[in-house]
PDB file of all heavy atoms in Angstrom:
ATOM      1  N   VAL A 401     -17.623 -27.521  52.620  1.00 98.00           N
ATOM      2  CA  VAL A 401     -18.747 -28.434  52.447  1.00 98.00           C
ATOM      3  C   VAL A 401     -19.856 -28.022  53.393  1.00 98.00           C
ATOM      4  O   VAL A 401     -19.596 -27.685  54.557  1.00 98.00           O
ATOM      5  CB  VAL A 401     -18.324 -29.899  52.738  1.00 98.00           C
ATOM      6  CG1 VAL A 401     -19.532 -30.830  52.669  1.00 98.00           C
ATOM      7  CG2 VAL A 401     -17.250 -30.359  51.766  1.00 98.00           C
ATOM      8  N   PHE A 402     -21.098 -28.053  52.902  1.00 98.00           N
ATOM      9  CA  PHE A 402     -22.257 -27.844  53.778  1.00 98.00           C
ATOM     10  C   PHE A 402     -22.726 -29.187  54.314  1.00 98.00           C
ATOM     11  O   PHE A 402     -23.032 -30.106  53.542  1.00 98.00           O
ATOM     12  CB  PHE A 402     -23.426 -27.224  53.014  1.00 98.00           C
ATOM     13  CG  PHE A 402     -23.235 -25.791  52.618  1.00 98.00           C
ATOM     14  CD1 PHE A 402     -23.415 -25.400  51.293  1.00 98.00           C
ATOM     15  CD2 PHE A 402     -22.915 -24.822  53.560  1.00 98.00           C
ATOM     16  CE1 PHE A 402     -23.267 -24.071  50.913  1.00 98.00           C
ATOM     17  CE2 PHE A 402     -22.758 -23.493  53.192  1.00 98.00           C
ATOM     18  CZ  PHE A 402     -22.932 -23.123  51.864  1.00 98.00           C
ATOM     19  N   LEU A 403     -22.777 -29.328  55.632  1.00 98.00           N
ATOM     20  CA  LEU A 403     -23.529 -30.397  56.285  1.00 98.00           C
ATOM     21  C   LEU A 403     -24.873 -29.823  56.685  1.00 98.00           C
ATOM     22  O   LEU A 403     -24.953 -28.676  57.143  1.00 98.00           O
ATOM     23  CB  LEU A 403     -22.822 -30.858  57.560  1.00 98.00           C
ATOM     24  CG  LEU A 403     -21.668 -31.853  57.527  1.00 98.00           C
ATOM     25  CD1 LEU A 403     -21.239 -32.151  58.956  1.00 98.00           C
ATOM     26  CD2 LEU A 403     -22.045 -33.131  56.806  1.00 98.00           C
ATOM     27  N   PHE A 404     -25.938 -30.608  56.538  1.00 98.00           N
ATOM     28  CA  PHE A 404     -27.228 -30.123  57.048  1.00 98.00           C
ATOM     29  C   PHE A 404     -28.078 -31.298  57.493  1.00 98.00           C
ATOM     30  O   PHE A 404     -27.986 -32.412  56.953  1.00 98.00           O
ATOM     31  CB  PHE A 404     -27.958 -29.268  56.010  1.00 98.00           C
ATOM     32  CG  PHE A 404     -28.373 -29.988  54.755  1.00 98.00           C
ATOM     33  CD1 PHE A 404     -29.659 -30.521  54.629  1.00 98.00           C
ATOM     34  CD2 PHE A 404     -27.492 -30.144  53.701  1.00 98.00           C
ATOM     35  CE1 PHE A 404     -30.051 -31.185  53.472  1.00 98.00           C
ATOM     36  CE2 PHE A 404     -27.863 -30.804  52.540  1.00 98.00           C
ATOM     37  CZ  PHE A 404     -29.145 -31.338  52.421  1.00 98.00           C
ATOM     38  N   ASN A 405     -28.877 -31.033  58.504  1.00 98.00           N
ATOM     39  CA  ASN A 405     -29.759 -32.042  59.079  1.00 98.00           C
ATOM     40  C   ASN A 405     -31.107 -31.967  58.358  1.00 98.00           C
ATOM     41  O   ASN A 405     -31.878 -31.027  58.574  1.00 98.00           O
ATOM     42  CB  ASN A 405     -29.937 -31.775  60.574  1.00 98.00           C
ATOM     43  CG  ASN A 405     -30.854 -32.778  61.240  1.00 98.00           C
ATOM     44  OD1 ASN A 405     -31.409 -33.672  60.610  1.00 98.00           O
ATOM     45  ND2 ASN A 405     -31.043 -32.623  62.554  1.00 98.00           N
ATOM     46  N   PRO A 406     -31.409 -32.938  57.491  1.00 98.00           N
ATOM     47  CA  PRO A 406     -32.657 -32.858  56.716  1.00 98.00           C
ATOM     48  C   PRO A 406     -33.911 -32.972  57.568  1.00 98.00           C
ATOM     49  O   PRO A 406     -35.018 -32.654  57.094  1.00 98.00           O
ATOM     50  CB  PRO A 406     -32.523 -34.041  55.744  1.00 98.00           C
ATOM     51  CG  PRO A 406     -31.615 -35.006  56.431  1.00 98.00           C
ATOM     52  CD  PRO A 406     -30.652 -34.168  57.208  1.00 98.00           C
ATOM     53  N   GLY A 407     -33.760 -33.410  58.805  1.00 98.00           N
ATOM     54  CA  GLY A 407     -34.906 -33.432  59.699  1.00 98.00           C
ATOM     55  C   GLY A 407     -35.266 -32.064  60.239  1.00 98.00           C
ATOM     56  O   GLY A 407     -36.344 -31.884  60.838  1.00 98.00           O
ATOM     57  N   ARG A 408     -34.382 -31.097  60.031  1.00 98.00           N
ATOM     58  CA  ARG A 408     -34.611 -29.747  60.552  1.00 98.00           C
ATOM     59  C   ARG A 408     -34.633 -28.683  59.447  1.00 98.00           C
ATOM     60  O   ARG A 408     -35.347 -27.686  59.559  1.00 98.00           O
ATOM     61  CB  ARG A 408     -33.496 -29.399  61.535  1.00 98.00           C
ATOM     62  CG  ARG A 408     -33.511 -30.212  62.818  1.00 98.00           C
ATOM     63  CD  ARG A 408     -34.284 -29.521  63.891  1.00 98.00           C
ATOM     64  NE  ARG A 408     -33.669 -28.231  64.222  1.00 98.00           N
ATOM     65  CZ  ARG A 408     -34.249 -27.296  64.967  1.00 98.00           C
ATOM     66  NH1 ARG A 408     -35.469 -27.493  65.432  1.00 98.00           N
ATOM     67  NH2 ARG A 408     -33.632 -26.166  65.225  1.00 98.00           N
ATOM     68  N   VAL A 409     -33.823 -28.863  58.412  1.00 98.00           N
ATOM     69  CA  VAL A 409     -33.759 -27.887  57.326  1.00 98.00           C
ATOM     70  C   VAL A 409     -33.777 -28.622  55.999  1.00 98.00           C
ATOM     71  O   VAL A 409     -33.472 -29.814  55.925  1.00 98.00           O
ATOM     72  CB  VAL A 409     -32.482 -27.015  57.404  1.00 98.00           C
ATOM     73  CG1 VAL A 409     -32.458 -26.191  58.675  1.00 98.00           C
ATOM     74  CG2 VAL A 409     -31.226 -27.871  57.288  1.00 98.00           C
ATOM     75  N   SER A 410     -34.136 -27.890  54.957  1.00 98.00           N
ATOM     76  CA  SER A 410     -34.059 -28.461  53.613  1.00 98.00           C
ATOM     77  C   SER A 410     -33.110 -27.624  52.774  1.00 98.00           C
ATOM     78  O   SER A 410     -32.947 -26.419  53.009  1.00 98.00           O
ATOM     79  CB  SER A 410     -35.444 -28.507  52.958  1.00 98.00           C
ATOM     80  OG  SER A 410     -35.994 -27.214  52.830  1.00 98.00           O
ATOM     81  N   PHE A 411     -32.465 -28.287  51.813  1.00 98.00           N
ATOM     82  CA  PHE A 411     -31.546 -27.607  50.912  1.00 98.00           C
ATOM     83  C   PHE A 411     -32.222 -27.471  49.556  1.00 98.00           C
ATOM     84  O   PHE A 411     -32.806 -28.429  49.038  1.00 98.00           O
ATOM     85  CB  PHE A 411     -30.245 -28.396  50.769  1.00 98.00           C
ATOM     86  CG  PHE A 411     -29.183 -27.677  49.988  1.00 98.00           C
ATOM     87  CD1 PHE A 411     -28.317 -26.795  50.625  1.00 98.00           C
ATOM     88  CD2 PHE A 411     -29.054 -27.858  48.614  1.00 98.00           C
ATOM     89  CE1 PHE A 411     -27.337 -26.115  49.911  1.00 98.00           C
ATOM     90  CE2 PHE A 411     -28.077 -27.189  47.898  1.00 98.00           C
ATOM     91  CZ  PHE A 411     -27.219 -26.309  48.545  1.00 98.00           C
ATOM     92  N   THR A 412     -32.162 -26.276  48.989  1.00 98.00           N
ATOM     93  CA  THR A 412     -32.737 -26.032  47.670  1.00 98.00           C
ATOM     94  C   THR A 412     -31.688 -26.378  46.617  1.00 98.00           C
ATOM     95  O   THR A 412     -30.725 -25.637  46.415  1.00 98.00           O
ATOM     96  CB  THR A 412     -33.168 -24.566  47.512  1.00 98.00           C
ATOM     97  OG1 THR A 412     -34.121 -24.251  48.537  1.00 98.00           O
ATOM     98  CG2 THR A 412     -33.774 -24.319  46.144  1.00 98.00           C
ATOM     99  N   ASP A 413     -31.867 -27.526  45.982  1.00 98.00           N
ATOM    100  CA  ASP A 413     -30.931 -27.931  44.928  1.00 98.00           C
ATOM    101  C   ASP A 413     -31.344 -27.277  43.620  1.00 98.00           C
ATOM    102  O   ASP A 413     -32.482 -27.423  43.158  1.00 98.00           O
ATOM    103  CB  ASP A 413     -30.944 -29.456  44.775  1.00 98.00           C
ATOM    104  CG  ASP A 413     -30.232 -30.154  45.916  1.00 98.00           C
ATOM    105  OD1 ASP A 413     -29.013 -29.967  46.052  1.00 98.00           O
ATOM    106  OD2 ASP A 413     -30.900 -30.880  46.687  1.00 98.00           O
ATOM    107  N   ARG A 414     -30.413 -26.551  43.051  1.00 98.00           N
ATOM    108  CA  ARG A 414     -30.659 -25.867  41.788  1.00 98.00           C
ATOM    109  C   ARG A 414     -29.446 -26.114  40.905  1.00 98.00           C
ATOM    110  O   ARG A 414     -28.336 -25.723  41.236  1.00 98.00           O
ATOM    111  CB  ARG A 414     -30.904 -24.384  42.036  1.00 98.00           C
ATOM    112  CG  ARG A 414     -31.709 -23.710  40.953  1.00 98.00           C
ATOM    113  CD  ARG A 414     -32.127 -22.292  41.361  1.00 98.00           C
ATOM    114  NE  ARG A 414     -33.294 -22.287  42.242  1.00 98.00           N
ATOM    115  CZ  ARG A 414     -33.322 -21.704  43.425  1.00 98.00           C
ATOM    116  NH1 ARG A 414     -32.262 -21.073  43.884  1.00 98.00           N
ATOM    117  NH2 ARG A 414     -34.412 -21.724  44.156  1.00 98.00           N
ATOM    118  N   ALA A 415     -29.629 -26.802  39.788  1.00 97.00           N
ATOM    119  CA  ALA A 415     -28.521 -27.252  38.939  1.00 97.00           C
ATOM    120  C   ALA A 415     -27.768 -26.070  38.328  1.00 97.00           C
ATOM    121  O   ALA A 415     -28.290 -24.962  38.221  1.00 97.00           O
ATOM    122  CB  ALA A 415     -29.048 -28.158  37.832  1.00 97.00           C
ATOM    123  N   GLY A 416     -26.539 -26.332  37.929  1.00 96.00           N
ATOM    124  CA  GLY A 416     -25.747 -25.325  37.214  1.00 96.00           C
ATOM    125  C   GLY A 416     -24.467 -24.938  37.901  1.00 96.00           C
ATOM    126  O   GLY A 416     -23.603 -24.287  37.305  1.00 96.00           O
ATOM    127  N   GLY A 417     -24.315 -25.313  39.165  1.00 97.00           N
ATOM    128  CA  GLY A 417     -23.109 -24.938  39.886  1.00 97.00           C
ATOM    129  C   GLY A 417     -21.957 -25.886  39.601  1.00 97.00           C
ATOM    130  O   GLY A 417     -22.122 -27.101  39.668  1.00 97.00           O
ATOM    131  N   ASP A 418     -20.815 -25.341  39.241  1.00 98.00           N
ATOM    132  CA  ASP A 418     -19.611 -26.151  39.082  1.00 98.00           C
ATOM    133  C   ASP A 418     -18.405 -25.316  39.507  1.00 98.00           C
ATOM    134  O   ASP A 418     -18.553 -24.187  39.981  1.00 98.00           O
ATOM    135  CB  ASP A 418     -19.460 -26.686  37.660  1.00 98.00           C
ATOM    136  CG  ASP A 418     -19.398 -25.601  36.595  1.00 98.00           C
ATOM    137  OD1 ASP A 418     -18.866 -24.503  36.879  1.00 98.00           O
ATOM    138  OD2 ASP A 418     -19.888 -25.846  35.471  1.00 98.00           O
ATOM    139  N   ALA A 419     -17.200 -25.873  39.316  1.00 98.00           N
ATOM    140  CA  ALA A 419     -15.997 -25.244  39.850  1.00 98.00           C
ATOM    141  C   ALA A 419     -15.699 -23.896  39.237  1.00 98.00           C
ATOM    142  O   ALA A 419     -15.077 -23.044  39.875  1.00 98.00           O
ATOM    143  CB  ALA A 419     -14.798 -26.174  39.661  1.00 98.00           C
ATOM    144  N   THR A 420     -16.132 -23.664  37.997  1.00 98.00           N
ATOM    145  CA  THR A 420     -15.725 -22.442  37.288  1.00 98.00           C
ATOM    146  C   THR A 420     -16.871 -21.501  36.958  1.00 98.00           C
ATOM    147  O   THR A 420     -16.634 -20.397  36.472  1.00 98.00           O
ATOM    148  CB  THR A 420     -14.999 -22.818  35.986  1.00 98.00           C
ATOM    149  OG1 THR A 420     -15.874 -23.610  35.160  1.00 98.00           O
ATOM    150  CG2 THR A 420     -13.725 -23.586  36.276  1.00 98.00           C
ATOM    151  N   THR A 421     -18.110 -21.906  37.209  1.00 98.00           N
ATOM    152  CA  THR A 421     -19.272 -21.071  36.891  1.00 98.00           C
ATOM    153  C   THR A 421     -19.669 -20.239  38.097  1.00 98.00           C
ATOM    154  O   THR A 421     -19.854 -20.772  39.199  1.00 98.00           O
ATOM    155  CB  THR A 421     -20.467 -21.933  36.449  1.00 98.00           C
ATOM    156  OG1 THR A 421     -20.086 -22.707  35.305  1.00 98.00           O
ATOM    157  CG2 THR A 421     -21.663 -21.066  36.107  1.00 98.00           C
ATOM    158  N   ALA A 422     -19.825 -18.947  37.890  1.00 98.00           N
ATOM    159  CA  ALA A 422     -20.196 -18.055  38.987  1.00 98.00           C
ATOM    160  C   ALA A 422     -21.691 -18.141  39.267  1.00 98.00           C
ATOM    161  O   ALA A 422     -22.518 -18.078  38.347  1.00 98.00           O
ATOM    162  CB  ALA A 422     -19.818 -16.619  38.644  1.00 98.00           C
ATOM    163  N   VAL A 423     -22.032 -18.293  40.530  1.00 98.00           N
ATOM    164  CA  VAL A 423     -23.434 -18.259  40.924  1.00 98.00           C
ATOM    165  C   VAL A 423     -23.942 -16.826  40.845  1.00 98.00           C
ATOM    166  O   VAL A 423     -23.210 -15.875  41.123  1.00 98.00           O
ATOM    167  CB  VAL A 423     -23.612 -18.829  42.342  1.00 98.00           C
ATOM    168  CG1 VAL A 423     -22.872 -17.990  43.378  1.00 98.00           C
ATOM    169  CG2 VAL A 423     -25.091 -18.941  42.717  1.00 98.00           C
ATOM    170  N   GLY A 424     -25.188 -16.682  40.445  1.00 98.00           N
ATOM    171  CA  GLY A 424     -25.802 -15.363  40.366  1.00 98.00           C
ATOM    172  C   GLY A 424     -27.023 -15.271  41.261  1.00 98.00           C
ATOM    173  O   GLY A 424     -27.372 -16.213  41.984  1.00 98.00           O
ATOM    174  N   VAL A 425     -27.677 -14.133  41.216  1.00 98.00           N
ATOM    175  CA  VAL A 425     -28.864 -13.872  42.039  1.00 98.00           C
ATOM    176  C   VAL A 425     -29.993 -13.409  41.118  1.00 98.00           C
ATOM    177  O   VAL A 425     -29.783 -12.565  40.241  1.00 98.00           O
ATOM    178  CB  VAL A 425     -28.590 -12.802  43.105  1.00 98.00           C
ATOM    179  CG1 VAL A 425     -29.828 -12.565  43.960  1.00 98.00           C
ATOM    180  CG2 VAL A 425     -27.402 -13.206  43.976  1.00 98.00           C
ATOM    181  N   THR A 426     -31.171 -13.961  41.313  1.00 98.00           N
ATOM    182  CA  THR A 426     -32.348 -13.535  40.570  1.00 98.00           C
ATOM    183  C   THR A 426     -33.437 -13.108  41.544  1.00 98.00           C
ATOM    184  O   THR A 426     -33.361 -13.393  42.745  1.00 98.00           O
ATOM    185  CB  THR A 426     -32.883 -14.668  39.676  1.00 98.00           C
ATOM    186  OG1 THR A 426     -33.269 -15.781  40.511  1.00 98.00           O
ATOM    187  CG2 THR A 426     -31.827 -15.121  38.675  1.00 98.00           C
ATOM    188  N   ARG A 427     -34.439 -12.451  40.993  1.00 97.00           N
ATOM    189  CA  ARG A 427     -35.595 -12.017  41.794  1.00 97.00           C
ATOM    190  C   ARG A 427     -36.811 -12.795  41.318  1.00 97.00           C
ATOM    191  O   ARG A 427     -37.139 -12.794  40.124  1.00 97.00           O
ATOM    192  CB  ARG A 427     -35.818 -10.519  41.630  1.00 97.00           C
ATOM    193  CG  ARG A 427     -36.895  -9.926  42.525  1.00 97.00           C
ATOM    194  CD  ARG A 427     -37.022  -8.430  42.257  1.00 97.00           C
ATOM    195  NE  ARG A 427     -38.105  -7.827  42.996  1.00 97.00           N
ATOM    196  CZ  ARG A 427     -37.974  -7.274  44.202  1.00 97.00           C
ATOM    197  NH1 ARG A 427     -36.782  -7.235  44.775  1.00 97.00           N
ATOM    198  NH2 ARG A 427     -39.017  -6.734  44.820  1.00 97.00           N
TER     199      ARG A 427
END
Side-chain angles (χ1 to χ4, degrees):
V401 175
F402 289 127
L403 278 183
F404 64 95
N405 179 358
R408 292 267 298 168
V409 297
S410 61
F411 187 87
T412 302
D413 286 295
R414 204 170 280 125
D418 59 33
T420 59
T421 302
V423 63
V425 181
T426 61
R427 186 180 175 92

